[in-house]
Amino acid sequence: MLHIKEISFRGLQEMDVKTISGLSEACSEVGLFRLVEHDIEVDLINDFFEKSHSFFNLSLETKQLYLRSKEKPLGFFDRELTKNRADWKEIFDLGQENNGKSVELETPWPAVPVGFKESALRWHAHCNHISLIVIQALCVSLGERPDRLSAYFEPANTSFLRLNYYPLCSDPATPSEDLPEQGHLGIHHHTDAGAVTVLLQDEVAGLQFKHRDAWCLVPAIENELVINLGDLMQVWSNGTYKSPVHRVLANSQEERFSAAYFMNPIFSTDCLPLLGNEPKYRVLNWGEYRSKRAAGDYSDLGEEIQVDDFEL
């Protein structure tokens, strides 16, 4: 079993040389690591998971009152596609409060459970802070100054938090199959489109990433965070760092809950390699890339755009 590196968040905050070296190694090998020593209170994590459970335990009719759409991308959804195949999951996507600047980007907050909005926004804020530190550390690991990419993410960005619920499945796909033709997956194989993803998962393991043609299971460790890089960081690093292919298994024995924070820049961001005299990628505009990737969530629109499409 492949060992997944542990990276100290405290070490990243201090830009500790040894920690930065470990970060570089993890990101060049697999593009994924376990974030420890993040100092987030356990009570806050427990409250957040409790509110998430309570929401997904509502009736489907009630949850569909907060249904998202192509025009309004935040809210509840249970028919998402990945690689044009249906996932075995329910989700609720939420964003920062936008103070009425954009009706399309307003989160349709449910009235119940009580405190759901406040708990979710607290977690959103924690993940945003963590992501900014991770991105600064990644810049240092690439030989850049810490704030090299900050203008794309501060003071505002297009990040969002996704709550995931994986119900019991009577016909899960075989975990060792590469591209299963039979059975269901919680989420089919994909890379994340943005910069970095911060994942909180419960104690039911289900996340797999692909390494050297084999699927590796990520341990589910209480109160630990998993960080994986997205396509933008692969481009910024000129291919030095990886945006790992990953998926989530369906489960016939246990339900699973998780929350993924997708750290994304402002839509106008033009992503170009920071390293090397010979760029391996052409310009990737985030707004266009995100729009084309998101379109595939709703219907079979043909082959999804991928970061490989920008290779020179």
Side-chain angles (χ1 to χ4, degrees), residues 67-178:
L67 200 64
R68 76 176 202 190
S69 66
K70 282 184 282 189
E71 292 74 28
K72 295 184 178 182
L74 300 179
F76 174 77
F77 204 59
D78 61 350
R79 300 185 300 279
E80 189 165 67
L81 306 179
T82 303
K83 300 292 185 182
N84 297 323
R85 299 186 66 181
D87 297 329
W88 192 268
K89 67 178 181 183
E90 296 180 7
I91 63 174
F92 187 89
D93 288 344
L94 62 100
Q96 293 172 308
E97 292 292 86
N98 66 21
N99 299 317
K101 293 179 181 177
S102 171
V103 174
E104 293 79 9
L105 295 179
E106 287 182 0
T107 302
W109 294 105
V112 290
V114 175
F116 176 79
K117 174 181 176 180
E118 291 75 13
S119 182
L121 287 177
R122 276 196 299 271
W123 188 252
H124 188 292
H126 275 289
C127 290
N128 189 74
H129 171 68
I130 287 170
S131 298
L132 290 171
I133 298 297
V134 169
I135 289 171
Q136 289 173 1
L138 286 167
C139 287
V140 172
S141 74
L142 292 170
E144 297 284 338
R145 62 181 194 277
D147 64 351
R148 177 64 178 81
L149 299 174
S150 296
Y152 300 128
F153 298 94
E154 298 179 285
N157 53 58
T158 60
S159 305
F160 68 98
L161 176 63
R162 170 169 293 175
L163 313 184
N164 297 300
Y165 167 50
Y166 302 96
L168 293 180
C169 177
S170 60
D171 184 27
T174 303
S176 59
E177 279 194 50
D178 187 29

Side-chain angles (χ1 to χ4, degrees), residues 31 191-197 228-235 241-244:
T191 61
D192 289 345
V196 299
T197 301
N228 69 264
L229 305 188
D231 294 344
L232 297 187
M233 195 56 67
Q234 182 168 313
V235 173
Y241 292 163
K242 311 300 181 188
S243 176

